[in-house]
Amino acid sequence: SAYKVAVVGATGAVGNMMIQVLEKRNFPVGELVLLASERSAGKTLKYKGKDLPVQELTESSFKGIEIGLFSAGGSISAKFAPIAAHEGCIVIDNTAHFRMDPDVPLVVPEVNPDALAGYTKRNIIANPNCSTIQMVVALKPLHDAARIKRIVVSTYQSVSGTGKDALEEMLVQSRDMATHIQWTKEDGLDKLWNSLSPFRTVKTTVYPHRIAFECLPQIDVFMDNGYTKEEMKMVWETKKIMDPAIQVTATTVRVPTFFGHSESVNIETERKLTARQATDLLSKAPGIKVMDDPANKKYPLTALAAGEDYTLVGRIREDESISNGLNLWVVSDNILKGAALNAVQIAEIMIDRYL
Ligand code: A2P
């Protein structure tokens, strides 16, 4: 059978990819309803060669909708997901709003698909944070084999994760700097230094500081403990999805890349895993491509992960500072596996098992 599916936030970076993933995976769509703000009403978006109209999201948008993929921001989900769920629609929500609700399953299909059984409590399922998803995909096989005790992760997150406005901000700033900084290798470094100074403080609308040619150690808001909310999402969500006993500490950083989040992941395990054993386990695990050939300079890059369904894992090394530790470099497409693909994979399990 085929399902009536709505995409909420269809004009956004993730919503648009949700439409493409539904098409590419031949999801059994009977009817596709595209919802966004009133600003987008009247626009059309392509699905299977046809132009579908974008409609304004309202409280009556969900009559007869069976599956709703939400990616229009936390406040939109807070208001409209319960309305949709009440109408009998299964909501798969990409925002952070419901993730830690004990009555809402938080699911990565490769890691904890059975948690989906709990969907009946609210009719809402949460899609985890993009950085959490790729990390737990990479760590699940290692945890099953050797029990991870502690994770230390640093992220290098791409600008697409913030949305289209942020991508534009990065491009405008980069273009501006690349055209106004006239410097070649024949010039002194002082000239470069001086020509950078007008760009030290630029007006921004999306990020708190310039993102072009910069690393921002702030993603989302700061919490009372000094960590950002993005960092705490990685802590809370990893425990909920994989194992509450795992200790996690994170530093999340926005870097001027387009698509694909990169992560330096250090783990300490109960039992020893050699780098070779870890590589073997990862090679056989679902959703993972091992890319680890230092002699040929092969390792995961955002340019290789963008557009890929797989999470790329490389630089697999034993941590020589402790007895049972490993270091990994993990890269995945944050819009695909980090958001749209994971949501559609959840929907596929739902129709397979429960609908
Ligand atoms: P719109 O394009 O009409 O503003 P991104 O994360 O790429 O910025 O996209 C955000 C998505 O959320 C867009 O599809 C946007 O629609 C949608 N959105 C934002 N605010 C609202 C709203 N008040 N009601 C419905 N959709 C919204």
Side-chain angles (χ1 to χ4, degrees), residues 6 54 121 170 179 181 189 228 235 255 259 293 301 337:
V54 179
K121 289 185 190 139
M170 173 171 71
T179 39
I181 299 174
L189 284 183
T228 62
V235 176
V255 297
F259 299 100
D293 184 6
L301 295 171
K337 184 58 187 169

Side-chain angles (χ1 to χ4, degrees), residues 307-338:
E308 266 273 5
D309 288 354
Y310 292 94
T311 294
L312 309 181
V313 185
R315 302 295 325 280
I316 302 163
R317 293 151 288 155
E318 282 152 45
D319 176 352
E320 297 177 341
S321 72
I322 50 174
S323 44
N324 299 343
L326 288 166
N327 282 307
L328 317 166
W329 182 248
V330 180
V331 184
S332 191
D333 187 319
N334 53 297
I335 304 290
L336 269 174
K337 184 58 187 169

Side-chain angles (χ1 to χ4, degrees), residues 8-14 35-40 43 57 71-73 76 80 162-165:
V8 180
T11 52
V14 172
L35 302 167
S37 78
E38 42 155 6
R39 298 179 292 274
S40 299
K43 281 189 192 167
L57 170 67
S71 194
I76 300 295
F80 290 96
T162 317
K164 285 179 171 178
D165 295 346

Side-chain angles (χ1 to χ4, degrees), residues 247-269:
Q247 300 302 316
V248 185
T249 188
T251 302
T252 57
V253 181
R254 189 73 64 187
V255 297
T257 53
F258 290 95
F259 299 100
H261 289 354
S262 309
E263 297 177 344
S264 161
V265 184
N266 175 267
I267 58 170
E268 182 174 4
T269 54

Side-chain angles (χ1 to χ4, degrees), residues 45-110:
L45 293 169
K46 281 242 183 297
Y47 175 73
K48 295 204 168 169
K50 275 189 263 170
D51 290 309
L52 297 185
V54 179
Q55 303 171 36
E56 181 188 351
L57 170 67
T58 67
E59 292 181 20
S60 49
S61 295
F62 298 97
K63 291 233 155 46
I65 303 284
E66 295 169 281
I67 298 170
L69 304 175
F70 279 61
S71 194
S75 58
I76 300 295
S77 289
K79 176 167 177 204
F80 290 96
I83 293 173
H86 189 73
E87 299 268 0
C89 171
I90 306 282
V91 171
I92 302 172
D93 181 32
N94 189 51
T95 76
H97 189 78
F98 295 100
R99 287 183 192 148
M100 297 315 297
D101 183 327
D103 292 337
V104 171
L106 182 67
V107 173
V108 178
E110 291 87 343

